[in-house]
């Protein structure tokens, strides 16, 4: 596997933990965090300045979708592995 992919997996999971901490410290609510992630997702979906293939756009959206799923899981008191989140993203897209 490409080393960059492994680094991105680690970064995404680190960001999920940071998002959890932000909510736990009450700096943002789950709703506010979800709104911020939804705003990022919409910006990618609406970006027509670049001619991206559907596969490239899905790749860009992947970490945002993982973080959204991680926030939903955190709300329920659950935590998953990166592989679990990747499977969920695949099922939902």
């Amino acid at each position: 596997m490409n080393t960059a992919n492994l680094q991105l997996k680690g970064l995404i999971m680190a960001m999920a933990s940071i998002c959890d901490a932000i909510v736990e410290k009450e700096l943002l609510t789950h709703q506010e965090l979800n709104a911020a992630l939804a705003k990022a997702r919409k910006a990618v979906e609406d970006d027509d300045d670049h001619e991206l293939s559907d596969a490239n756009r899905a790749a860009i959206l992947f970490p945002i979708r993982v973080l959204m799923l991680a926030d939903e899981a955190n709300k329920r008191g659950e935590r998953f592995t990166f592989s679990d989140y990747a499977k969920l993203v695949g099922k939902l897209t």
Side-chain angles (χ1 to χ4, degrees):
M1 178 176 277
N2 185 324
T3 304
N5 290 343
L6 296 172
Q7 291 169 339
L8 287 173
K9 285 181 179 184
L11 180 60
I12 291 167
M13 293 306 290
M15 285 302 306
S17 290
I18 290 168
C19 289
D20 291 349
I22 287 171
V23 172
E24 288 170 11
K25 295 272 186 187
E26 298 181 357
L27 300 173
L28 293 176
T29 65
H30 286 288
Q31 288 176 320
E32 291 166 331
L33 179 58
N34 192 307
L37 292 169
K39 184 177 178 181
R41 185 188 67 219
K42 183 160 176 37
V44 171
E45 291 171 344
D46 292 347
D47 182 7
D48 57 359
D49 288 341
H50 303 90
E51 294 183 22
L52 294 173
S53 68
D54 289 342
N56 286 344
R57 190 172 313 277
I60 294 168
L61 288 170
F62 178 80
I64 298 168
R65 290 179 171 140
V66 168
L67 293 174
M68 293 177 93
L69 288 171
D71 182 52
E72 288 295 319
N74 185 26
K75 255 196 275 193
R76 297 186 307 269
E78 299 174 332
R79 295 191 193 263
F80 299 108
T81 66
F82 181 85
S83 296
D84 293 331
Y85 288 124
K87 288 175 192 171
L88 286 169
V89 168
K91 287 180 183 178
L92 298 174
T93 55

